Short mmCIF file of all heavy atoms in Angstrom, two decimals:
data_model
loop_
_atom_site.label_atom_id
_atom_site.label_comp_id
_atom_site.label_asym_id
_atom_site.label_seq_id
_atom_site.Cartn_x
_atom_site.Cartn_y
_atom_site.Cartn_z
N GLY A 954 9.29 42.31 66.07
CA GLY A 954 9.06 41.15 65.23
C GLY A 954 9.19 39.85 65.98
O GLY A 954 9.43 39.81 67.19
N SER A 955 9.04 38.75 65.24
CA SER A 955 9.08 37.41 65.81
C SER A 955 10.09 36.55 65.05
O SER A 955 10.40 36.81 63.89
CB SER A 955 7.70 36.75 65.75
OG SER A 955 6.75 37.47 66.51
N LEU A 956 10.56 35.53 65.73
CA LEU A 956 11.52 34.61 65.15
C LEU A 956 11.39 33.27 65.85
O LEU A 956 11.14 33.23 67.06
CB LEU A 956 12.94 35.15 65.27
CG LEU A 956 14.03 34.51 64.41
CD1 LEU A 956 13.76 34.77 62.94
CD2 LEU A 956 15.39 35.05 64.81
N ARG A 957 11.56 32.20 65.09
CA ARG A 957 11.54 30.87 65.68
C ARG A 957 12.85 30.17 65.39
O ARG A 957 13.25 29.99 64.23
CB ARG A 957 10.37 30.04 65.12
CG ARG A 957 10.36 28.60 65.64
CD ARG A 957 9.11 27.83 65.25
NE ARG A 957 7.93 28.33 65.95
CZ ARG A 957 6.79 27.66 66.07
NH1 ARG A 957 6.67 26.45 65.54
NH2 ARG A 957 5.76 28.19 66.71
N LEU A 958 13.53 29.77 66.44
CA LEU A 958 14.78 29.04 66.35
C LEU A 958 14.52 27.55 66.50
O LEU A 958 13.65 27.13 67.27
CB LEU A 958 15.77 29.49 67.41
CG LEU A 958 16.08 30.99 67.47
CD1 LEU A 958 17.12 31.25 68.55
CD2 LEU A 958 16.54 31.50 66.12
N SER A 959 15.28 26.75 65.77
CA SER A 959 15.13 25.31 65.79
C SER A 959 16.34 24.65 66.42
O SER A 959 17.48 25.07 66.19
CB SER A 959 14.93 24.77 64.37
OG SER A 959 14.89 23.36 64.35
N CYS A 960 16.10 23.61 67.20
CA CYS A 960 17.15 22.82 67.82
C CYS A 960 16.81 21.35 67.59
O CYS A 960 15.83 20.84 68.13
CB CYS A 960 17.25 23.13 69.32
SG CYS A 960 18.41 22.10 70.24
N VAL A 961 17.61 20.68 66.78
CA VAL A 961 17.40 19.28 66.46
C VAL A 961 18.52 18.45 67.08
O VAL A 961 19.70 18.75 66.88
CB VAL A 961 17.34 19.04 64.95
CG1 VAL A 961 17.12 17.56 64.64
CG2 VAL A 961 16.23 19.87 64.32
N ALA A 962 18.14 17.42 67.82
CA ALA A 962 19.12 16.59 68.52
C ALA A 962 19.65 15.49 67.62
O ALA A 962 18.91 14.92 66.81
CB ALA A 962 18.51 16.00 69.78
N GLU A 963 20.93 15.21 67.77
CA GLU A 963 21.57 14.10 67.09
C GLU A 963 21.88 13.02 68.11
O GLU A 963 22.51 13.28 69.12
CB GLU A 963 22.85 14.55 66.40
CG GLU A 963 22.62 15.58 65.31
CD GLU A 963 23.91 16.05 64.67
OE1 GLU A 963 25.00 15.80 65.25
OE2 GLU A 963 23.86 16.67 63.60
N ILE A 964 21.42 11.81 67.83
CA ILE A 964 21.68 10.60 68.62
C ILE A 964 20.87 10.57 69.91
O ILE A 964 20.13 9.62 70.17
CB ILE A 964 23.19 10.43 68.93
CG1 ILE A 964 23.96 10.31 67.62
CG2 ILE A 964 23.40 9.19 69.79
CD1 ILE A 964 25.45 10.16 67.82
N LEU A 965 20.99 11.60 70.74
CA LEU A 965 20.27 11.59 72.01
C LEU A 965 18.77 11.76 71.80
O LEU A 965 18.33 12.33 70.80
CB LEU A 965 20.82 12.67 72.93
CG LEU A 965 20.75 14.13 72.50
CD1 LEU A 965 19.39 14.74 72.83
CD2 LEU A 965 21.85 14.93 73.17
N ASP A 966 18.00 11.24 72.75
CA ASP A 966 16.55 11.32 72.69
C ASP A 966 16.10 12.55 73.46
O ASP A 966 16.00 12.53 74.69
CB ASP A 966 15.91 10.06 73.26
CG ASP A 966 16.23 8.82 72.45
OD1 ASP A 966 16.29 8.93 71.21
OD2 ASP A 966 16.42 7.74 73.05
N LEU A 967 15.81 13.59 72.74
CA LEU A 967 15.50 14.88 73.36
C LEU A 967 14.31 14.86 74.32
O LEU A 967 14.32 15.62 75.30
CB LEU A 967 15.29 15.94 72.28
CG LEU A 967 15.52 17.39 72.71
CD1 LEU A 967 16.92 17.57 73.29
CD2 LEU A 967 15.29 18.34 71.54
N PRO A 968 13.28 14.05 74.10
CA PRO A 968 12.18 14.01 75.06
C PRO A 968 12.60 13.63 76.47
O PRO A 968 11.88 13.93 77.43
CB PRO A 968 11.23 12.96 74.48
CG PRO A 968 11.49 13.01 73.01
CD PRO A 968 12.97 13.26 72.90
N ASP A 969 13.74 12.98 76.63
CA ASP A 969 14.22 12.56 77.93
C ASP A 969 15.16 13.59 78.57
O ASP A 969 15.74 13.31 79.62
CB ASP A 969 14.95 11.22 77.83
CG ASP A 969 14.04 10.09 77.40
OD1 ASP A 969 12.84 10.14 77.72
OD2 ASP A 969 14.52 9.16 76.74
N TYR A 970 15.29 14.76 77.95
CA TYR A 970 16.24 15.75 78.39
C TYR A 970 15.57 17.07 78.73
O TYR A 970 14.59 17.47 78.11
CB TYR A 970 17.29 16.01 77.30
CG TYR A 970 18.29 14.90 77.12
CD1 TYR A 970 17.92 13.70 76.55
CD2 TYR A 970 19.61 15.08 77.52
CE1 TYR A 970 18.83 12.68 76.39
CE2 TYR A 970 20.54 14.06 77.35
CZ TYR A 970 20.14 12.86 76.78
OH TYR A 970 21.06 11.86 76.61
N THR A 971 16.13 17.73 79.74
CA THR A 971 15.81 19.13 79.95
C THR A 971 16.40 19.93 78.79
O THR A 971 17.52 19.67 78.36
CB THR A 971 16.38 19.63 81.28
OG1 THR A 971 15.72 18.97 82.35
CG2 THR A 971 16.19 21.14 81.42
N VAL A 972 15.63 20.88 78.26
CA VAL A 972 16.05 21.69 77.14
C VAL A 972 16.13 23.15 77.58
O VAL A 972 15.23 23.64 78.28
CB VAL A 972 15.09 21.55 75.94
CG1 VAL A 972 15.47 22.52 74.83
CG2 VAL A 972 15.10 20.12 75.42
N ALA A 973 17.18 23.82 77.16
CA ALA A 973 17.36 25.22 77.53
C ALA A 973 17.93 26.00 76.35
O ALA A 973 18.55 25.43 75.45
CB ALA A 973 18.30 25.35 78.74
N TRP A 974 17.71 27.29 76.38
CA TRP A 974 18.32 28.21 75.43
C TRP A 974 19.13 29.24 76.18
O TRP A 974 18.64 29.80 77.17
CB TRP A 974 17.26 28.89 74.56
CG TRP A 974 16.65 27.98 73.54
CD1 TRP A 974 15.58 27.15 73.70
CD2 TRP A 974 17.10 27.82 72.18
NE1 TRP A 974 15.32 26.48 72.53
CE2 TRP A 974 16.23 26.86 71.58
CE3 TRP A 974 18.12 28.38 71.41
CZ2 TRP A 974 16.38 26.46 70.25
CZ3 TRP A 974 18.26 27.98 70.09
CH2 TRP A 974 17.39 27.03 69.53
N PHE A 975 20.33 29.48 75.69
CA PHE A 975 21.22 30.50 76.23
C PHE A 975 21.51 31.52 75.14
O PHE A 975 21.32 31.25 73.95
CB PHE A 975 22.53 29.88 76.72
CG PHE A 975 22.38 29.01 77.94
CD1 PHE A 975 21.84 27.74 77.85
CD2 PHE A 975 22.78 29.47 79.18
CE1 PHE A 975 21.70 26.94 78.96
CE2 PHE A 975 22.65 28.68 80.31
CZ PHE A 975 22.11 27.42 80.20
N ARG A 976 21.98 32.67 75.55
CA ARG A 976 22.41 33.68 74.58
C ARG A 976 23.61 34.43 75.12
O ARG A 976 23.81 34.55 76.33
CB ARG A 976 21.28 34.65 74.24
CG ARG A 976 20.88 35.59 75.37
CD ARG A 976 19.66 36.40 75.00
NE ARG A 976 19.20 37.25 76.08
CZ ARG A 976 18.02 37.85 76.12
NH1 ARG A 976 17.17 37.69 75.10
NH2 ARG A 976 17.68 38.61 77.14
N GLN A 977 24.40 34.94 74.21
CA GLN A 977 25.58 35.69 74.57
C GLN A 977 25.64 36.95 73.71
O GLN A 977 25.81 36.87 72.50
CB GLN A 977 26.85 34.86 74.39
CG GLN A 977 28.11 35.54 74.89
CD GLN A 977 29.29 34.60 74.96
OE1 GLN A 977 29.27 33.52 74.37
NE2 GLN A 977 30.32 34.99 75.69
N ALA A 978 25.49 38.08 74.35
CA ALA A 978 25.60 39.36 73.67
C ALA A 978 27.07 39.76 73.59
O ALA A 978 27.90 39.29 74.39
CB ALA A 978 24.79 40.43 74.41
N PRO A 979 27.43 40.62 72.64
CA PRO A 979 28.82 41.06 72.52
C PRO A 979 29.34 41.66 73.82
O PRO A 979 28.72 42.55 74.40
CB PRO A 979 28.76 42.11 71.41
CG PRO A 979 27.57 41.72 70.59
CD PRO A 979 26.58 41.19 71.58
N GLY A 980 30.47 41.15 74.28
CA GLY A 980 31.08 41.65 75.50
C GLY A 980 30.43 41.20 76.78
O GLY A 980 30.82 41.65 77.86
N LYS A 981 29.44 40.32 76.68
CA LYS A 981 28.72 39.84 77.86
C LYS A 981 28.94 38.35 78.06
O LYS A 981 29.36 37.63 77.16
CB LYS A 981 27.22 40.14 77.73
CG LYS A 981 26.88 41.59 77.51
CD LYS A 981 27.23 42.44 78.71
CE LYS A 981 26.79 43.87 78.52
NZ LYS A 981 27.12 44.72 79.69
N GLU A 982 28.65 37.89 79.27
CA GLU A 982 28.71 36.47 79.57
C GLU A 982 27.49 35.76 79.00
O GLU A 982 26.43 36.35 78.83
CB GLU A 982 28.80 36.24 81.08
CG GLU A 982 30.05 36.79 81.73
CD GLU A 982 30.09 36.52 83.22
OE1 GLU A 982 29.06 36.08 83.77
OE2 GLU A 982 31.15 36.73 83.83
N ARG A 983 27.67 34.48 78.73
CA ARG A 983 26.54 33.68 78.30
C ARG A 983 25.53 33.57 79.43
O ARG A 983 25.89 33.31 80.58
CB ARG A 983 27.02 32.29 77.88
CG ARG A 983 25.93 31.40 77.30
CD ARG A 983 26.47 30.04 76.88
NE ARG A 983 27.54 30.17 75.90
CZ ARG A 983 28.13 29.14 75.32
NH1 ARG A 983 27.76 27.90 75.61
NH2 ARG A 983 29.11 29.34 74.44
N GLU A 984 24.27 33.77 79.11
CA GLU A 984 23.23 33.73 80.12
C GLU A 984 22.10 32.81 79.70
O GLU A 984 21.77 32.71 78.51
CB GLU A 984 22.67 35.14 80.38
CG GLU A 984 21.96 35.75 79.19
CD GLU A 984 21.23 37.04 79.53
OE1 GLU A 984 21.11 37.37 80.73
OE2 GLU A 984 20.76 37.72 78.59
N GLY A 985 21.50 32.16 80.67
CA GLY A 985 20.34 31.34 80.41
C GLY A 985 19.12 32.20 80.14
O GLY A 985 18.89 33.19 80.84
N VAL A 986 18.35 31.84 79.13
CA VAL A 986 17.18 32.60 78.73
C VAL A 986 15.90 31.90 79.15
O VAL A 986 15.01 32.51 79.75
CB VAL A 986 17.17 32.84 77.21
CG1 VAL A 986 15.92 33.60 76.79
CG2 VAL A 986 18.43 33.58 76.78
N ILE A 987 15.80 30.62 78.83
CA ILE A 987 14.61 29.85 79.14
C ILE A 987 14.98 28.38 79.18
O ILE A 987 15.85 27.94 78.43
CB ILE A 987 13.48 30.12 78.11
CG1 ILE A 987 12.19 29.39 78.48
CG2 ILE A 987 13.94 29.75 76.71
CD1 ILE A 987 11.01 29.78 77.61
N ALA A 988 14.34 27.62 80.05
CA ALA A 988 14.59 26.19 80.15
C ALA A 988 13.30 25.49 80.56
O ALA A 988 12.50 26.04 81.32
CB ALA A 988 15.70 25.89 81.16
N VAL A 989 13.12 24.29 80.04
CA VAL A 989 11.94 23.48 80.34
C VAL A 989 12.40 22.07 80.69
O VAL A 989 13.16 21.46 79.94
CB VAL A 989 10.95 23.43 79.15
CG1 VAL A 989 9.74 22.59 79.52
CG2 VAL A 989 10.52 24.83 78.76
N THR A 990 11.91 21.55 81.82
CA THR A 990 12.25 20.20 82.22
C THR A 990 11.60 19.19 81.28
O THR A 990 10.65 19.50 80.55
CB THR A 990 11.81 19.92 83.66
OG1 THR A 990 10.40 20.13 83.78
CG2 THR A 990 12.53 20.85 84.62
N ARG A 991 12.09 17.96 81.31
CA ARG A 991 11.61 16.95 80.37
C ARG A 991 10.15 16.62 80.58
O ARG A 991 9.45 16.25 79.64
CB ARG A 991 12.48 15.70 80.43
CG ARG A 991 12.40 14.95 81.76
CD ARG A 991 13.33 13.77 81.73
NE ARG A 991 13.19 12.91 82.90
CZ ARG A 991 13.89 11.82 83.11
NH1 ARG A 991 14.81 11.44 82.22
NH2 ARG A 991 13.70 11.10 84.21
N ASP A 992 9.67 16.72 81.81
CA ASP A 992 8.26 16.49 82.10
C ASP A 992 7.44 17.77 82.00
O ASP A 992 6.23 17.75 82.22
CB ASP A 992 8.10 15.90 83.50
CG ASP A 992 8.69 14.52 83.62
OD1 ASP A 992 8.65 13.77 82.62
OD2 ASP A 992 9.19 14.18 84.70
#
């Protein structure tokens, strides 16, 4: 299946920021999944 997660920024201007998603499975360390630079 498919799923879309939303991330809305408060105060900061998200277009000027690198954005990334991390995930943490049970018993595992947090890991980076995907990241996109601001440009």
Side-chain angles (χ1 to χ4, degrees):
S955 298
L956 196 65
R957 176 172 290 198
L958 306 182
S959 175
C960 175
V961 180
E963 297 178 345
I964 300 179
L965 61 84
D966 295 323
L967 204 56
D969 296 329
Y970 287 71
T971 294
V972 174
W974 287 87
F975 292 75
R976 69 186 176 194
Q977 186 168 16
K981 303 294 184 179
E982 296 181 349
R983 185 179 302 184
E984 64 171 351
V986 178
I987 184 172
V989 180
T990 58
R991 65 182 187 180
D992 294 326

